Amino acid sequence: MAEKSFKYVIVGGGVSAGYAAREFAKQGVQPGELAVISKEAVAPYERPALSKAYLFPEGAARLPGFHVCVGSGGERLLPEWYKEKGIELILNTEIVKADLASKSLTNAAGETFKYKILIIATGSTVLKLTDFKVEGADAKNILYLREIDDADQLVEAIKAKKNGKAVVVGGGYIGLELSAVLKINNFGVKMVYPEPWCMPRLFTADIAAFYEGYYEKKGVNIIKGTVASGFTKNDNGEVKEVKLKDGRVLEADIVVVGVGARPLTNLFKGQVEEDKGGIKTDAFFKTSVPDVYAVGDVATFPMKMYGDIRRVEHVDHSRKSAEQAVKAIFANEQGKDIEAYDYLPYFYSRSFDLSWQFYGDNVGDAVIFGDHDPASAKAKFGSYWIKDGKVVGAFLEGGAPEENQAIAKVAKAQPPASSLEVLAKEGLEFASKI
Ligand code: FDA
Ligand code: NAD
């Protein structure tokens, strides 16, 4: 069986892999030293585009327009770039076995890839309703979104069921972004989720009330406090109805499900230390196994600012962790030291003409400020989270770049807050003083 050997291998070809490849090039990787092995058919791209501009009815984003690293304002790494740098891009190749002791990876065809140093960048996979044995969840047109092939299926379904009815299951990131884009595609959209408000992982009830009101205003019908308990199919095996646990039945031509993701660590189970569902790393993304690093969604790493360890499923961290790991690899080879990873959490989302950013930690008491009336023509508002007398998190909807920078500074500096009332009154002014 064929065997290939590389000094460095990245398993996974998503956001982290692309940013790691760029950092390898910056650090002077030599032709033939690095391989990126991906089960996807295309070179690393900016995944966030898939739930936004990729699905627009007009002027949709398409590759090669959003290969990494355009998302951070950098050069687009087209397939030719990898060739020029002598980086081997091994696409359409799923690794099915990893043996960290013998430093080898194997694909389904039995080909082996040997490495000296491995970066695990396998990201996450979607949770499926079939995993929970929901009746009828295998119907056609019940769709998920993780990779470009999923997005292409969605595009086809949107075309085939033009102006039809969509039910979106889940009230998180995918739920909110997909409901908006389906509405923009002129679908009748109903959104279903079990919690009392959307995005409960991050939003307070006040923040969520704005988005729910805004979505309703745009014609998205929100059904809370229940789940999809089954589906019926038509004669073609396509989804026809969504049965809700509370007894209601919704007609559907398309169902989009976003009920969370699971980090892809299974290849390495029992071979490497895990924590909080991910592969445990230090502040340089080194795992418990020598010469093996893990970055992006799969890494559980020390969050220096908060003195704990966390996993983060967002693009900013996937980019920065990849760069940190590659810097650490080269520093190690040169006997140098680099700074420990000191990450300030940064999440964002865009839908309709809305755009929010969040920095820091959403713990403690929260206070909302500004115009958060969904009926306003130009609503603009934010939130601060206060713990132990300090502002530890900040959220802003509709901020200008300098205003977003100001709230990022607040979350980093953690200034003292005299009272919730003062913060509510001062709003953005408080941030601009930091
Ligand atoms: P990523 O998922 O990007 O890459 C993993 C790669 O590994 C994939 O190419 C996969 O095929 C490959 N792979 C897995 N197993 C393999 C195997 N066994 N063999 C070979 N290859 C394998 N975040 C944010 O902050 N703002 C946003 O707006 C969005 N928007 C967004 C939209 C959508 C649709 C999704 C799915 C996600 C987002 N995110 C986001 C989250 C963000 O995209 C995510 O955190 C990063 O892509 C994580 O980067 P990774 O490289 O860790 O995984
Ligand atoms: P999520 O964790 O954001 O949301 C999952 C939601 O599923 C929960 O809020 C809940 O409302 C819902 N839910 C759970 N069980 C349910 C059930 N049985 N029926 C109905 N609803 C149920 O996950 P997601 O939205 O699926 O996103 C997947 C991944 O993609 C995450 O890693 C996320 O960070 C990433 N993503 C991020 C962005 C962004 O940062 N802007 C955008 C898209 C995707």
Side-chain angles (χ1 to χ4, degrees), residues 49-366:
L50 297 183
S51 53
K52 304 174 188 72
Y54 201 84
L55 303 175
F56 284 176
E58 275 158 41
R62 284 292 176 271
L63 288 177
F66 60 98
H67 278 299
V68 297
C69 301
V70 281
S72 60
E75 180 197 358
R76 255 186 319 157
L77 307 188
L78 303 173
E80 300 84 276
W81 179 89
Y82 295 85
K83 220 172 257 161
E84 269 163 37
K85 301 286 175 199
I87 298 172
E88 198 154 337
L89 207 46
I90 304 172
L91 301 175
N92 289 309
T93 302
E94 181 172 10
I95 295 302
V96 296
K97 189 170 165 247
D99 184 354
L100 300 183
S102 65
K103 296 192 159 188
S104 72
L105 306 170
T106 311
N107 68 10
E111 288 169 307
T112 305
F113 305 91
K114 297 282 232 179
Y115 60 82
K116 286 201 167 70
I117 294 181
L118 176 69
I119 299 184
I120 301 171
T122 41
S124 302
T125 187
V126 292
L127 297 177
K128 295 200 164 176
L129 294 179
T130 42
D131 300 339
F132 306 117
K133 312 248 179 299
V134 176
E135 176 207 347
D138 59 345
K140 288 183 197 150
N141 289 335
I142 298 184
L143 302 164
Y144 298 83
L145 180 57
R146 182 75 208 175
E147 298 187 345
I148 202 154
D149 288 352
D150 306 321
D152 286 335
Q153 277 187 43
L154 257 161
V155 169
E156 284 310 307
I158 288 170
K159 268 195 215 143
K161 301 291 176 182
K162 206 170 174 348
N163 304 333
K165 293 191 174 82
V167 173
V168 175
V169 178
Y173 287 96
I174 292 285
L176 283 165
E177 293 183 6
L178 267 292
S179 296
V181 92
L182 285 163
K183 194 73 223 169
I184 293 167
N185 276 283
N186 208 30
F187 271 70
V189 183
K190 289 187 168 32
M191 217 180 146
V192 183
Y193 48 88
E195 295 95 347
W197 65 78
C198 63
M199 196 81 86
R201 277 206 293 168
L202 177 64
F203 289 179
T204 60
D206 284 344
I207 296 177
F210 169 81
Y211 292 98
E212 290 174 358
Y214 191 95
Y215 273 53
E216 291 279 359
K217 195 176 89 175
K218 289 282 186 186
V220 174
N221 181 206
I222 296 177
I223 301 170
K224 302 191 259 190
T226 188
V227 293
S229 57
F231 300 90
T232 62
K233 304 175 194 176
N234 66 17
D235 295 342
N236 299 325
E238 295 173 332
V239 67
K240 191 171 144 220
E241 290 165 333
V242 184
K243 294 192 267 180
L244 302 185
K245 204 173 171 193
D246 68 7
R248 276 183 275 185
V249 176
L250 313 175
E251 285 176 40
D253 300 305
I254 300 181
V255 173
V256 177
V257 183
V259 295
R262 175 176 65 76
L264 276 170
T265 59
N266 42 321
L267 278 174
F268 312 99
K269 280 258 174 287
Q271 303 186 61
V272 65
E273 224 176 287
E274 293 192 41
D275 209 333
K276 297 196 168 167
I279 298 175
K280 194 175 174 187
T281 75
D282 65 8
F284 308 96
F285 296 98
K286 262 189 205 160
T287 69
S288 60
V289 176
D291 300 329
V292 178
Y293 293 71
V295 296
D297 280 12
V298 294
T300 301
F301 63 96
M303 190 73 90
K304 196 174 168 194
M305 280 187 73
Y306 308 124
D308 58 11
I309 61 165
R310 296 185 190 184
R311 219 168 48 71
V312 173
E313 292 178 359
H314 291 279
V315 76
D316 178 59
H317 160 71
S318 66
R319 294 168 179 156
K320 289 177 174 156
S321 58
E323 288 166 358
Q324 171 78 350
V326 177
K327 282 182 185 146
I329 289 168
F330 278 80
N332 200 33
E333 287 174 357
Q334 294 156 4
K336 292 185 191 150
D337 285 325
I338 61 163
E339 297 273 317
Y341 194 60
D342 186 7
Y343 187 61
L344 172 69
Y346 162 47
F347 316 145
Y348 72 90
S349 182
R350 290 192 296 272
S351 58
F352 293 119
D353 45 4
L354 302 172
S355 172
W356 61 257
Q357 300 201 355
F358 167 82
Y359 296 87
D361 211 7
N362 59 320
V363 291
D365 299 319

Side-chain angles (χ1 to χ4, degrees), residues 30-52:
Q30 294 301 303
E33 284 186 335
L34 171 64
V36 176
I37 306 177
S38 176
K39 74 177 162 63
E40 291 191 79
V42 295
Y45 56 88
E46 303 283 356
R47 197 165 303 290
L50 297 183
S51 53
K52 304 174 188 72

